[in-house]
Amino acid sequence: MKIQSLRGMPDLFPEDLERWHIFESKLSKVFHSYDTHEIRTALLESTELFSRSVGNSSDIVNKELYSFLDRNEESISLRPEGSASVIRAIIQKKQEHEKHKLWYQGPMFRYERPQKGRFRQFHQVGVEYLGFREGISEYELISMVLQINKLIGITNYTIKINHLGDQLAKESFCDSLINFLQPHITELHEKDQARLKSNPLRVLDSKEKSTQALLKEGPKFQDFISDASKKFLHNLVNAFSDHCDIQIDQSLVRGLDYYTGIVFETVSQELGAQDAFLGGGRYDNLSNQLGGKDMHAIGFAIGIERIIELLSIENIKQPLKVGFITTGEQTDKKTYKIADDLRSANSSIILDTFLSEGSLKSQLRRANKNNCRYVIIIGEEELQNDQVIWKNLSEGGEQELLTSKEVIEKYTNL
């Protein structure tokens, strides 16, 4: 019996990763321009980290954690998201009093039903601004979202945004929502009935039409937050309305318990039912909940598998590729010295070495298939005369005979 990969944990092959590499290189330029620095945290954490941060009532902790006991009988889990680990690391380093602009990337794990754009092992890139109170940091992160979408060619998207107020506002709204829905409890889907008991805010995010119809007549979050919070939300939307489609969505709450203040999602209809590819918000209370000192915090995470579906690579300039072909039985250290000198002369070019596999004709076919613009051919005669054949594959196959010194000069100036 052949061993298969675990369900929802796909392998990524070179042809799959072409878009990933373009995305990652573009993203690193954005982060650099915002003076945001990388942090790397552990894949495995204490299960308590997520039960305290994400919330015991959340679907993630109730159903989706990959948890097990280690040899010390302590419960540990594969991380389902990145923010809690970043905050844990900052607390452990005793740096809550400092300001940080951080980003991370890597695999996350949730035991949920695999579907298009959603896997049990998935990948996220996240940004966390720590130590910055509500204000300019919100504008900074929305600006960064716009720059990311622009740089990788995503134009058809909407930013949904809401303000959850402070903890008191959330509690007051939840009490009002429970009082409103309780008389209609039998009209709610069983999932929404469970949410109403454990985490009432999650009812707002229900996909059930009957629940959404009831909510239209229910309490509105905007009636429970302060005038200052309302003004900030509207000012934020107005600041970007000329640059993108940005809309206030009073049903937007996000799926994690730690959010307060601004929350937002970026969605695209091109992704179908699972239309969100970026989401985040403010979580000023998380550090305190995890045993650290009070620390303002806001961030977002991007689902790489989802955003890759939207990535346009047609108009992105591909790196120049040159094939390196050797023929005949004889090989010589001079051949590899030429290849090494070429790579040293211009590292931005891909030198695709075919390692003498097959005939000259088959290697030329491979060079065309691999999108090489030029090939360098070295046979036994060329090797003896310290020469190479330079062949242009894109302009009628024109070729010329060059010395090893001349080919390095030509390669350098491509």
Side-chain angles (χ1 to χ4, degrees):
M1 175 178 167
K2 294 181 180 178
I3 298 174
Q4 303 288 321
S5 64
L6 297 178
R7 185 170 180 239
M9 297 190 178
D11 301 306
L12 296 172
F13 283 82
E15 57 268 27
D16 305 317
L17 289 170
E18 181 180 8
R19 289 173 179 263
W20 288 60
H21 293 154
I22 294 172
F23 171 69
E24 289 166 354
S25 65
K26 298 289 184 183
L27 210 58
S28 65
K29 293 179 181 178
V30 176
F31 294 151
H32 179 74
S33 71
Y34 282 79
D35 195 31
T36 303
H37 307 280
E38 186 179 11
I39 183 173
R40 300 187 183 187
T41 61
L43 290 176
L44 280 170
E45 298 274 11
S46 167
T47 301
E48 185 183 12
L49 173 66
F50 305 115
S51 62
R52 288 173 65 180
S53 62
V54 177
N56 281 314
S57 62
S58 69
D59 289 345
I60 291 177
V61 172
N62 279 334
K63 305 174 185 177
E64 298 172 2
L65 277 185
Y66 275 94
S67 301
F68 53 92
L69 297 178
D70 65 9
R71 292 183 180 181
N72 293 323
E73 297 297 307
E74 295 178 358
S75 180
I76 57 178
S77 300
L78 288 166
R79 62 186 184 191
E81 58 95 33
S83 296
S85 294
V86 171
I87 298 298
R88 188 269 309 149
I90 294 298
I91 294 171
Q92 189 170 331
K93 198 78 170 175
K94 298 181 180 179
Q95 294 182 349
E96 304 102 296
H97 62 285
E98 300 178 18
K99 287 179 167 57
H100 305 271
K101 296 167 69 174
L102 304 171
W103 70 273
Y104 61 85
Q105 65 175 333
M108 310 290 167
F109 303 84
R110 296 183 190 176
Y111 191 86
E112 55 185 339
R113 184 172 65 86
Q115 52 189 293
K116 182 180 179 181
R118 176 178 287 180
F119 302 97
R120 290 177 173 173
Q121 176 178 314
F122 58 100
H123 298 77
Q124 284 186 345
V125 173
V127 175
E128 314 291 351
Y129 274 31
L130 310 178
F132 302 92
R133 66 177 64 251
E134 183 175 271
I136 295 299
S137 52
E138 273 80 358
Y139 287 87
E140 179 96 340
L141 288 191
I142 297 296
S143 168
M144 184 184 290
V145 171
L146 266 59
Q147 288 299 318
I148 290 171
N149 289 342
K150 179 181 178 180
L151 200 61
I152 60 180
I154 298 175
T155 56
N156 185 18
Y157 67 91
T158 299
I159 297 177
K160 296 181 178 181
I161 191 167
N162 195 19
H163 200 300
L164 304 182
D166 57 18
Q167 192 62 33
L168 180 60
K170 287 177 69 174
E171 292 172 1
S172 298
F173 174 79
C174 287
D175 289 341
S176 180
L177 185 64
I178 292 171
N179 292 333
F180 170 76
L181 289 177
Q182 198 62 48
H184 306 279
I185 193 72
T186 57
E187 301 174 44
L188 297 176
H189 189 277
E190 59 182 14
K191 286 184 178 180
D192 293 330
Q193 293 181 23
R195 286 172 173 169
L196 190 62
K197 293 179 181 179
S198 61
N199 190 349
L201 274 183
R202 297 292 290 130
V203 177
L204 299 183
D205 204 28
S206 172
K207 299 297 187 289
E208 299 296 327
K209 293 182 178 179
S210 58
T211 300
Q212 288 299 327
L214 274 173
L215 290 173
K216 289 181 180 179
E217 306 300 324
K220 306 303 179 186
F221 217 111
Q222 297 297 300
D223 296 333
F224 293 81
I225 66 176
S226 68
D227 289 340
S229 294
K230 293 177 188 177
K231 183 178 180 180
F232 180 69
L233 174 62
H234 285 277
N235 286 344
L236 192 59
V237 170
N238 291 337
F240 292 100
S241 58
D242 290 339
H243 304 280
C244 67
D245 181 15
I246 182 168
Q247 304 172 3
I248 295 175
D249 182 353
Q250 294 190 34
S251 67
L252 181 63
V253 294
R254 301 290 299 151
L256 308 180
D257 283 4
Y258 52 63
Y259 285 115
T260 57
I262 289 292
V263 291
F264 57 92
E265 283 186 347
T266 306
V267 302
S268 172
Q269 293 182 349
E270 295 178 23
L271 291 174
Q274 300 296 331
D275 59 355
F277 62 89
L278 180 153
R282 179 162 288 278
Y283 49 97
D284 287 348
N285 299 325
L286 183 54
S287 177
N288 187 270
Q289 291 173 14
L290 297 179
K293 298 176 182 178
D294 289 336
M295 180 173 60
H296 298 291
I298 184 172
F300 65 80
I302 302 170
I304 298 183
E305 282 83 357
R306 293 184 186 179
I307 202 171
I308 289 299
E309 294 184 39
L310 302 174
L311 178 60
S312 174
I313 63 172
E314 287 77 10
N315 297 323
I316 296 176
K317 185 178 179 181
Q318 300 296 310
L320 179 61
K321 187 181 288 187
V322 176
F324 190 84
I325 297 174
T326 57
T327 63
E329 296 293 329
Q330 181 181 347
T331 58
D332 188 274
K333 63 181 181 180
K334 289 182 181 179
T335 306
Y336 300 102
K337 175 70 165 57
I338 293 171
D340 187 59
D341 288 344
L342 290 169
R343 290 185 171 114
S344 297
N346 194 337
S347 59
S348 64
I349 298 174
I350 297 174
L351 188 67
D352 197 352
T353 307
F354 299 118
L355 305 178
S356 298
E357 293 181 1
S359 65
L360 173 60
K361 187 175 181 180
S362 66
Q363 291 188 70
L364 285 171
R365 278 200 303 267
R366 183 177 300 180
N368 275 301
K369 183 179 179 181
N370 289 0
N371 299 313
C372 294
R373 189 181 303 176
Y374 308 97
V375 290
I376 295 168
I377 304 169
I378 304 177
E380 292 183 13
E381 182 178 342
E382 288 79 25
L383 189 63
Q384 291 175 5
N385 296 326
D386 192 29
Q387 294 176 319
V388 304
I389 297 172
W390 177 275
K391 187 176 182 67
N392 189 332
L393 297 181
S394 60
E395 296 181 6
E398 294 180 1
Q399 64 184 47
E400 54 186 317
L401 198 62
L402 303 174
T403 66
S404 57
K405 183 178 180 180
E406 288 172 337
V407 76
I408 290 171
E409 183 177 351
K410 192 176 187 73
Y411 191 88
T412 302
N413 294 323
L414 283 177

